[in-house]
């Protein structure tokens, strides 16, 4: 990995030798008060200085300072909560006073952010914000935030304060909390990537949670996350898909399919980030990842007391992408012997009241199931946690059972995930303490187990490096795209350029009928406009088609091409889009007419290697058609992968191209051949090239 | 609607004049004790008699009876909790004693169930169970159940006791509860359909909730549910998809696509049942349906205080199938004037701290948004419920705001759904009291709002009646299916049957090249086995193909057919499957190679009318290709719908056919023409026909 924590004093943000709060206040409705109170709670660790230019002699029982230059020592960390107009001058005096880290709570003026950041960097300091909500380090008792958060092992980086608050409310009942919290604000200087790297190096942080609205340099962000993940700290991120304008601006199928949302998916997948959609999913994922090993496969056993819960859990698990296999007789026979006659033993396993007699049925069967080699994880659902109501003895046995369930998971190094109707009860707490995640609903538990299976099935690749940009591609339209891509070794169907019906007829004779006639021009989606005539069987038909096309579209020129054997193969789309945050994104999918309708696509950060390209193709829903399902001959998926890899390299070397696609790429038993191609120049030609250069490591 | 409550004493089950518990016990670990305790809690409403053949003089402070014939009056309702071997004799004595309703808690022997039910019916009584967990009527204080349930307006019919318990635990904190609960057990006599009809007629029940594992006569069930829904009582059902064996047994694409799960979907859609997958979804749906009107469309405004929550809610709502449209300037201008500069006003609407100054921003903006005509519902997310922490005054204003939010929903007759970080707080309770559903997570709220939009978009059709069965179809294979379907008016491609290469060549001359050669025989998925040769251009190629097919497959005969203009149209699959519970299910989907891979299907109870068939086709993902998207000419969707309706009528009249399909049906601009067809006889030929007859109303 190429990301290093810059040699900058980021640690001063979390463990400063002293803190000064500028804009401190005694008014309990003000940020300056909340931050001052927080700073004072850390006085046992470091001096806290309260600064306000309108202050009297004292504030909150401490000496008050009118300005930073009055302080008895250089303030290591300065928190600024002053009116926006005073921010600039306050930063100047903070740097003059010797601050190594500055947190700007005040809203910034984004046009001034760059200048601020430059000055801070020049002074060898770091800046968080402007427009941030503070910073917290539980272990160092640094609480420069408006609200408390429960302590724990999650490092949280968020662009929303209320979201952090909700995460705290959701985490606490699960026994989870936060080692550190950083509110990102405008990221004028420190950005998400910097802070991920810093958290990865922080011992008390075991998992990094993110809510990011603005990824800035997306590849740098992804590299930082990948480094954290490969160092053993899961990164769980809540990201919003940009919709609307961005999606609407797409001009090709590729633009629509490799959308902003897909670019995030591609980058997260490459980095090994677990993507979540909601605060609850984030905490549910964190609970699973902090308490469980990844599952080695997708096969799970479902165990409950009562048939309804087991059936529901099995169905929900299946919909979540897990497998609930029938168990062999070697497993079911001893279960049948040990359980009531009405019990279900095949999977789901229904104790049918068997645990009312002996709640240890749960831990015994848990160990048996996880040891049997037929499942990769266990899903306990329903009533467990409720046996305590029978008697004090049962309550004690239930707690002991919870510990033994945890021990079974540890011993077999396989995950156990539980849903219980009694998530706040003592047995649920005992499960959590024993390292078993507990969820209040069956869907949350299934989600968590599927996430553990996803992690187990992951094979991270390095974040791809971008090649040096090549000279910008000229022209536009089919022929220009064809020339560019053919130059990279991609095979196209035979073609002749023609400007008259006679030339067309001569070309067709040379190629051999049937042929295709294509009008060349700036039309998008040519086939919709009648500019492509397929399967022309002879000269008369060709001349008639030429006349029709010429009358309707008046093209500068046409091509005559060999009619490819469409019914012998499958049409794919391969393409790439240049994303302003994450750079070039490769896409593969069903092609032809169905491309946008099916939205059967795979996306990755470009460039991709041929094996990565093949993995993309094999992940498509139509993969069985490529691989030779049901006795059909397999198609030349290797040739298709080679073409996709080549296209992705072209895209990565041409940041001026917003979109680039071949559609269709016809894949037959013996070849992959491009039948049409196009590219689209970016709306901000020069700027995109610059950001591309910026993306180089 | 054709469903009537049978003139049977079902009301004696819920409001009996007296109750006897047979198998009553003083042992608090036994069902007989729990039921006896429950019966005694209702003594203010009706006498309760405790019966046990081993009882002493008294039990639980009441006189104990050794047998039912000792009772001072005829017991109206008898609950039986005795060993399985004693059930039969106890039923006999209950009927002899004059019972009008019998509840059998004891596990039954399913082979004896039918006999029991027959005897009970003959005596003019009704039977619930065996193997049920009891019955509850909150308004009549009938509590013959092992656990209490919170009281409310949900009528619950469940085949699982622990599930009812979980539903109670989930309902209570939302201010919801149960008017009645029935545990179905084996449904030897009374089944889900009977009880739905009974609940529909019960004033205190406002919504019917179901957990059913066994639908029995599925069309009767669906008719009962449809009648309840059209009488204004939503029916929310948790049903498990049968997977595994059933799905594996499918022999055609249709069998796989019109699966058991799809049959449930078709029946539920026809009946207007809201299908849920988990207990939490059931309670979430119930809260929305009991508190909100349906939404008239899918457009929602999202309102929060803090940008993160609004963005997340908008993204989650979009994924749930809702639309979050940009609002017009007429709406956004007044918002911009009223809110802080940092506020977002377009949608999502972010108050950006505006509610900290004045929490009534929520109710004012709620009313404005729901009145503006640009949205059909409102999604409030995030911090609301937390302002109470600022001061007692703010707390009071927040409660008042909650009431006014409820008033805005009522006044505009549009749903407001809320997610709050503080779901157990006073403001959340106030929202619930004001008729606004409150959810603890953004995904639950989005789910609820999407469900309300689904309901608003529904246009219920009557559950279709089955025609009289026609004489069983003979033979099998393509020609038999073709004859059956062509007889129903479906157009097939021109064909000639041939038994030699010479006959094939003669047929092709008559039809005109290109032609198709098909080998006839019992192979499934012919195209996979090389038994279909497409696009044969001339006689030499035809003779070569014939020789190849004859050598490989040795078919009894072949057909030579016109090669249909595949590239002029779209290939569909239309078919039907006879489901053992719900009868014939019609399916339409993408056809050809892609059929099972895409799983782009629509299913309905058969037979379907042509307009219903067209609605099915228009609901497919590929519908834009049929309807003429992006300037392409529209295809003859009407002809395709006519063919589907005809096929569905054939299927409904042929219960001996397990599966029946046309694949592909080629739809062009001018016609819909069947290119292949097959049917599969049911594995239980006679039995299926009988069950079909049984399905007649």
């Amino acid at each position: 990995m190429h990301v290093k924590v810059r040699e900058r004093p980021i640690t001063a943000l979390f463990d400063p030798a002293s803190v000064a709060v500028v804009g401190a206040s005694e008014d309990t409705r003000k940020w300056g008060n909340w931050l001052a109170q927080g700073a004072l709670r850390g006085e046992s660790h470091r001096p806290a200085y309260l600064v306000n230019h309108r202050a009297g002699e004292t504030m909150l029982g401490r000496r008050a300072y009118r300005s930073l230059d009055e302080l008895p020592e250089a303030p290591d960390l300065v928190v600024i909560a002053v009116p926006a107009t005073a921010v600039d001058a306050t930063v100047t005096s903070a740097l003059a006073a010797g601050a190594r880290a500055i947190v700007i709570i005040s809203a910034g003026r984004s046009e001034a952010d760059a200048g601020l950041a430059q000055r801070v960097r020049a002074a060898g300091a770091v800046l968080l914000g402007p427009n941030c909500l503070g910073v917290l380090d539980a272990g160092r008792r640094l609480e420069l935030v408006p609200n408390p958060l429960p302590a724990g092992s999650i490092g949280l980086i968020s662009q929303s304060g209320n979201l952090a608050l909700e995460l705290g409310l959701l985490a606490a009942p699960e026994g989870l909390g936060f080692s550190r919290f950083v509110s990102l604000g405008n990221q004028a200087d420190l950005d998400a990537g910097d802070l991920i790297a810093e958290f990865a190096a922080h011992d008390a942080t075991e998992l990094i949670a993110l809510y990011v609205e603005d990824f800035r340099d997306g590849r740098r962000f992804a590299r930082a996350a990948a480094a954290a993940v490969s160092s053993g700290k899961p990164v769980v991120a809540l990201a919003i898909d940009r919709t609307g304008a961005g999606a609407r601006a797409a001009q090709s199928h590729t633009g629509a399919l490799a959308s902003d949302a897909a670019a995030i998916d591609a980058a997260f997948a490459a980095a090994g980030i677990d993507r979540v959609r909601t605060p609850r999913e984030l905490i549910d994922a964190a609970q699973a990842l902090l308490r469980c090993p990844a599952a080695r496969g997708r096969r799970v056993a479902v165990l409950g007391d009562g048939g309804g819960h087991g059936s529901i859990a099995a169905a929900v698990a299946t919909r979540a992408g897990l497998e609930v296999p029938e168990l062999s007789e070697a497993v079911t026979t001893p279960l049948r012997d040990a359980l009531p006659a009405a019990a279900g033993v095949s999977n789901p396993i229904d104790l049918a009241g068997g645990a009312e007699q002996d709640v240890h049925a749960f831990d015994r069967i848990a160990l048996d199931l996880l040891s049997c080699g037929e499942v990769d994880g266990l899903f306990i659902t329903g009533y467990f946690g409720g046996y305590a109501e029978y008697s004090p003895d049962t309550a004690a046995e239930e707690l002991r059972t919870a510990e033994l369930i945890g021990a079974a998971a540890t011993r077999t190094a396989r995950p156990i995930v539980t849903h219980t109707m009694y998530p706040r009860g003592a047995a649920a707490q005992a499960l959590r303490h024993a390292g078993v995640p507990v969820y209040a609903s069956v869907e949350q538990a299934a989600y968590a187990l599927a996430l553990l299976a996803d992690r187990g099935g992951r094979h991270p690749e390095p974040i791809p490096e971008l090649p040096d940009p090549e000279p910008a591609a000229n022209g536009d339209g089919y022929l220009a795209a064809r020339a560019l891509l053919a130059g990279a070794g991609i095979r196209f169907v035979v073609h002749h350029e023609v400007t008259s019906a006679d030339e067309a007829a001569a070309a067709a004779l040379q190629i051999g009928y049937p042929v295709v006639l294509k009008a060349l021009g700036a039309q998008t989606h040519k086939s919709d406009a009648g500019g492509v005539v397929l399967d022309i069987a002879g000269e008369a038909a060709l001349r008639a088609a030429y006349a029709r096309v010429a009358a309707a579209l008046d093209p500068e020129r046409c091509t005559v091409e060999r009619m490819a054997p469409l019914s012998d193969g499958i049409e794919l789309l391969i393409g790439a889009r240049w994303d302003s945050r994450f750079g070039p994104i490769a896409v593969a999918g069903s092609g032809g007419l169905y491309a946008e309708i099916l939205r059967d696509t795979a996306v990755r950060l470009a460039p991709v290697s041929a094996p990565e390209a093949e993995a993309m193709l094999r992940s498509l829903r139509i993969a069985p058609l490529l691989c030779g399902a049901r006795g059909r001959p397999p198609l030349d998926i290797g040739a298709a992968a080679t073409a996709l890899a080549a296209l992705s390299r072209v895209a990565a070397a041409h940041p001026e191209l917003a979109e680039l696609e071949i559609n269709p790429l016809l894949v037959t038993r013996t070849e992959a051949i491009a039948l049409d191609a196009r590219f689209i120049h970016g709306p901000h030609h020069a700027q995109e090239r610059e950001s591309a250069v910026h993306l180089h490591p």
Side-chain angles (χ1 to χ4, degrees), chain A:
Chain A
M1 291 294 159
H2 298 264
V3 175
K4 274 190 278 185
V5 178
R6 298 183 210 165
E7 298 302 330
R8 301 184 62 205
I10 302 187
T11 51
L13 203 56
F14 297 100
D15 190 17
S18 60
V19 170
V21 178
V22 185
S25 168
E26 294 205 293
D27 182 342
T28 59
R29 292 166 308 174
K30 291 197 167 170
W31 277 88
N33 177 265
W34 306 334
L35 294 164
Q37 301 267 18
L40 295 179
R41 284 197 296 274
E43 277 185 310
S44 59
H45 283 67
R46 67 189 64 79
Y49 302 107
L50 308 186
V51 182
N52 192 315
H53 73 280
R54 292 185 303 191
E57 288 300 300
T58 64
M59 185 185 294
L60 302 171
R62 309 292 189 288
R63 178 177 165 189
Y65 299 88
R66 299 274 175 100
S67 73
L68 285 166
D69 55 21
E70 289 178 11
L71 303 189
E73 62 175 322
D76 209 20
L77 170 62
V78 174
V79 186
I80 300 177
V82 300
T85 50
V87 166
D88 204 71
T90 310
V91 168
T92 303
S93 41
L95 294 174
R100 292 196 303 150
I102 296 174
V103 176
I104 306 181
I105 305 296
S106 321
R109 293 165 301 126
S110 50
E111 65 280 11
D113 281 1
L116 265 184
Q118 205 168 11
R119 283 163 51 208
V120 171
R121 277 193 218 118
V126 296
L127 167 65
L128 186 67
N131 198 23
C132 92
L133 305 174
V135 59
L136 173 146
D137 186 309
R140 305 307 305 155
R141 205 155 178 146
L142 186 83
E143 297 185 14
L144 301 173
V145 288
N147 297 96
L149 283 172
S153 61
I154 302 173
L156 174 62
I157 300 167
S158 173
Q159 283 195 279
S160 161
N162 277 352
L163 202 77
L165 198 56
E166 178 165 16
L167 291 172
L169 290 165
L170 293 169
E174 312 305 337
L176 303 178
F178 301 88
S179 53
R180 282 180 171 177
F181 162 55
V182 171
S183 165
L184 275 181
N186 296 3
Q187 305 183 76
D189 176 27
L190 294 178
D191 65 13
D194 295 317
L195 290 156
I196 289 170
E198 172 64 22
F199 281 24
H202 179 233
D203 285 344
T205 295
E206 296 174 12
L207 179 146
I208 300 170
L210 299 170
Y211 171 70
V212 183
E213 293 169 351
D214 179 354
F215 289 95
R216 300 295 170 105
D217 181 341
R219 295 240 170 176
R220 193 169 157 273
F221 166 88
R223 286 200 183 89
V229 171
S230 69
S231 78
K233 300 195 179 179
V235 177
V236 183
L238 178 48
I240 304 298
D241 295 337
R242 292 189 298 192
T243 52
R248 278 193 293 276
Q251 292 183 65
S252 67
H253 290 305
T254 292
L257 297 174
S259 62
D260 283 341
I264 296 177
D265 284 334
F268 280 24
I273 296 172
D274 292 293
R275 183 171 188 180
V276 297
R277 306 278 172 188
T278 69
R280 177 178 280 167
E281 283 187 3
L282 193 152
I283 296 301
D284 288 347
Q287 192 187 176
L289 293 169
L290 285 169
R291 295 195 168 128
C292 286
R296 292 170 218 177
R298 309 195 74 80
R299 303 166 307 165
V300 300
V302 173
L303 172 61
D305 198 3
H309 274 117
S311 301
I312 293 167
V316 172
T318 303
R319 284 174 77 90
L322 296 165
E323 295 158 20
V324 186
E326 278 194 38
L327 300 172
S328 73
E329 292 213 2
V331 182
T332 57
T333 303
L335 284 176
R336 192 171 287 116
D337 294 344
L339 292 172
V345 295
S346 173
N347 202 10
I349 294 105
D350 168 19
L351 301 179
E356 290 175 23
Q357 272 73 53
D358 176 9
V359 70
H360 285 291
F362 274 101
D363 62 72
R364 283 195 305 267
I365 293 175
L367 185 57
D368 289 347
L369 289 169
L370 288 182
S371 311
C372 77
E374 298 180 21
V375 298
D376 307 298
L378 175 62
F379 185 163
I380 297 179
T381 182
Y383 194 76
F384 186 83
Y387 300 98
E389 294 188 5
Y390 287 73
S391 75
D393 281 356
T394 325
E397 286 310 318
E398 193 178 38
L399 291 181
R400 178 75 190 128
T401 299
E403 286 168 29
L404 290 171
I405 289 172
T410 306
R411 190 163 142 193
T412 59
R414 289 185 165 82
I416 299 180
V417 164
T418 58
H419 149 244
T420 168
M421 296 152 67
Y422 304 97
R424 302 275 83 87
Q429 283 306 115
L431 282 171
R432 292 187 188 98
H433 288 144
V436 176
V438 179
Y439 298 96
S441 74
V442 67
E443 52 267 57
Q444 289 170 274
Y447 170 82
L449 201 43
L451 181 129
L452 292 170
D454 288 344
R455 275 188 82 84
R458 246 184 238 159
H459 307 289
E461 309 269 356
I463 309 293
E465 307 285 341
L466 296 188
D468 289 330
E470 287 178 9
N474 290 320
D476 57 20
Y478 167 50
L479 291 181
R482 180 175 167 131
L484 181 68
L485 291 162
I490 294 175
R491 262 196 80 191
F492 275 79
V493 69
V494 171
H495 83 308
H496 288 250
E497 294 176 44
V498 300
T499 55
S500 70
D502 288 343
E503 284 180 25
L509 261 187
Q510 214 177 323
I511 294 167
Y513 287 96
V515 297
V516 173
L517 179 70
K518 278 186 196 170
L520 302 180
Q523 317 88 8
T524 55
H525 298 313
K526 283 192 294 284
S527 65
D528 297 352
V532 177
V533 184
L534 298 177
D535 218 357
I536 300 169
E539 184 169 332
L542 175 60
R543 287 181 181 276
Y546 194 94
R548 224 164 44 239
V549 165
L553 302 172
D554 191 21
E556 272 178 38
R557 64 183 68 193
C558 292
T559 60
V560 175
E561 311 193 350
R562 183 169 68 84
M563 176 70 200
L566 293 182
S567 57
D568 288 357
I570 294 292
E571 293 176 57
L572 295 183
L573 171 152
I574 62 175
R577 184 179 70 81
W578 197 278
D579 186 82
S580 60
R581 303 158 300 172
F582 298 103
I585 310 293
V587 60
S590 301
L593 268 185
Y594 291 83
E596 277 196 55
I597 283 170
L598 299 183
R599 307 194 81 84
D600 173 23
T601 56
V603 290
R604 289 213 185 186
L605 297 183
V608 294
S609 66
E612 287 165 354
E614 186 166 330
M616 289 172 73
L617 297 173
R618 289 186 186 276
S619 76
L620 297 174
R621 269 185 293 149
I622 57 157
L625 297 180
L626 292 170
C627 302
R630 296 205 333 232
R632 297 169 61 83
L635 305 181
D636 194 348
I637 194 169
T642 301
L644 172 55
L647 179 145
S648 80
R649 284 193 301 271
V650 171
H654 285 275
E656 79 281 5
L657 298 180
E659 300 168 23
L660 171 64
E661 88 181 5
I662 292 174
N663 181 25
L665 177 78
L666 180 69
V667 189
T668 67
R669 294 163 63 169
T670 55
E671 63 180 352
I673 185 158
L675 305 185
D676 204 356
R678 59 202 303 245
F679 58 51
I680 292 157
H681 286 278
H684 310 295
H685 204 139
Q687 183 185 324
E688 294 279 343
R689 285 190 72 90
E690 191 168 333
S691 92
V693 173
H694 177 59
L695 282 169
H696 282 266

